[in-house]
């Protein structure tokens, strides 16, 4: 009898210790850390937005047909995130970390922000599919760039991104609201790891990212093997025919796409992985979410124009079927 009471008291004390440890708030960040994060984030947002505007203007000046429509749509999405949503969230978070509040409608803001983030992933996948069809299935390319199909390829990312986030808005797998104590907009995940929050991240982030990688690697291997540029006999560039030179340039472009996708994964996957598998880390380290989901993700959008600039001329010419008109 006494042993059972002792066991109950022991279990009660252990429960209290766990409860107190779960309620322990992380130490507030230092002023230097807060100012450094906010300054770097706003600078990246500012310069990234300028580069995206310049590149988007350059794209729009050309005739918006075929893949250029999809490119312009993707750049517009990235510009929306880089110049609107991220600065608002950065300012709100910085104010909350300093004891102030902007009193934003956090659920609606986070719904639009996350919907746009996941729509950006699917828009990137749509562009990857467009490139692959242009090379591997050129006879079907004209159908792919018809107005009905292009319209669907633009609307589908928004439908998937926003539609997949709406259940979270209503509390399935988490909650859109404010960070306890600090009061800035934040996401609180809930439920089992393999519940809806896993499905939400898988559909919105992992599936399009993995499929993009498969497409670009397959495209590179197909071009390298078919063109016998990397896997075959080596020849001097002066001895290459016009077709072989074109294939060699396409292989180089495919390499750049694979490298760009690796950088894409580095910038966009750490935040979702931590949210899904290790959400307790955000509770233990207050600034981790701001660096991973904020600054690192923003760097991916800001670096996008640099990557586009390196391959802009080739991406609009090498990855489209040859024009039947000379000089075009």
């Amino acid at each position: 009898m006494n042993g059972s009471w002792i066991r109950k008291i022991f279990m009660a004390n252990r429960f209290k210790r766990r409860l107190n440890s779960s309620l322990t708030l992380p130490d507030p960040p230092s002023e230097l850390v807060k100012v450094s994060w906010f300054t770097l984030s706003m600078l990246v947002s500012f310069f990234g937005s300028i580069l995206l505007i310049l590149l988007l203007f350059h794209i729009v000046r050309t005739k918006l047909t075929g893949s250029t429509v999809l490119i312009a749509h993707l750049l517009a999405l990235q510009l929306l995130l880089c110049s609107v949503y991220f600065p608002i969230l950065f300012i709100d978070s910085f104010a909350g970390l300093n004891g102030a509040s902007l009193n934003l409608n956090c659920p609606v803001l986070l719904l639009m922000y996350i919907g746009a983030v996941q729509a950006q992933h699917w828009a990137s996948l749509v562009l990857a599919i467009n490139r692959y069809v242009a090379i591997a299935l050129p006879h079907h390319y004209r159908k792919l760039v018809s107005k009905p199909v292009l319209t669907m390829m633009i609307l589908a990312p928004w439908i998937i991104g926003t539609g997949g986030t709406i259940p979270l808005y209503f509390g399935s797998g988490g909650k859109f609201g404010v960070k306890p104590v600090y009061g800035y907009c934040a996401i609180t995940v809930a439920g089992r790891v393999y519940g809806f929050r896993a499905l939400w991240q898988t559909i919105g982030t992992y599936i399009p990212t993995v499929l993009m990688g498969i497409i670009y690697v397959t495209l590179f291997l197909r071009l390298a093997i078919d063109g016998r540029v990397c896997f075959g006999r080596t020849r001097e560039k002066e001895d290459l025919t016009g077709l072989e030179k074109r294939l060699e340039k396409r292989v180089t472009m495919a390499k750049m796409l694979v490298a760009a996708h690796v950088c894409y994964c580095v910038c966009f996957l750490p935040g979702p992985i931590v949210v899904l598998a290790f959400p307790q880390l955000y509770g233990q380290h207050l600034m981790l979410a701001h660096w991973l989901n904020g600054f690192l993700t923003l760097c991916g959008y800001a670096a996008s124009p640099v990557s586009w600039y390196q391959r802009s001329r080739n991406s609009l010419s090498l990855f489209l079927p040859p024009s039947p008109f000379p000089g075009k």
Side-chain angles (χ1 to χ4, degrees), residues 292-315:
L292 289 185
N293 295 80
F295 179 76
L296 184 61
T297 302
L298 179 65
C299 286
Y301 300 126
S304 178
V306 179
S307 176
W308 277 106
Y309 177 77
Q310 292 178 348
R311 63 180 190 267
S312 58
R313 294 180 180 178
N314 291 329
S315 66

Side-chain angles (χ1 to χ4, degrees), residues 121-122 124-126 128-129 132 203 205-218 261:
H121 292 313
W122 282 94
S124 299
L125 173 61
V126 164
I129 294 172
Y132 184 83
I203 294 176
T205 303
Y206 301 137
I207 289 179
T209 304
V210 170
L211 289 179
M212 272 189 285
I214 293 174
I215 288 173
Y216 287 139
V217 171
T218 303
H261 184 70

